[in-house]
Amino acid sequence: MGGESVPGGEAELRVNGHGQEIIGFAVVDLETTGLSTPTDRVVEVAVVQVGADGQITDEFSTLINPCQDVGPTRIHGITAADVAGAPVFADAAATVW
């Protein structure tokens, strides 16, 4: 997965193993009500954008109201009171995309 540096003027150009320029990536973290995709829901979304130089360029996070029990609070630390006024997933997803 590592890239190599290619001379590119004053700055180095980072390329992946397929010769494609690496312009950055996003790290996404989801907290959910459980592990069953047919029944469980997202309760938190966090996204960190990272530039090709490894520096964080943007961050986003929000709690999500799953419209059901929040699941194992002992694991994710999120309570029903925390998500009571939070947006539903569809509304939050529009912000992320």
Side-chain angles (χ1 to χ4, degrees):
M1 283 267 158
E4 63 180 271
S5 296
V6 176
E10 293 181 13
E12 289 186 350
L13 175 66
R14 299 284 296 168
V15 295
N16 65 17
H18 302 286
Q20 299 165 322
E21 180 182 0
I22 300 171
I23 57 173
F25 57 94
V27 178
V28 179
D29 179 46
L30 300 175
E31 297 298 335
T32 65
T33 61
L35 301 175
S36 176
T37 54
T39 59
D40 291 316
R41 302 288 180 258
V42 174
V43 292
E44 185 177 27
V45 174
V47 181
V48 175
Q49 291 180 326
V50 181
D53 61 358
Q55 298 298 309
I56 294 173
T57 59
D58 202 3
E59 297 178 51
F60 171 83
S61 67
T62 187
L63 291 170
I64 304 289
N65 186 335
C67 300
Q68 67 181 47
D69 183 73
V70 295
T73 296
R74 71 185 185 287
I75 294 174
H76 52 57
I78 299 167
T79 67
D82 293 335
V83 301
V88 296
F89 184 82
D91 293 338
T95 302
V96 174
W97 307 131

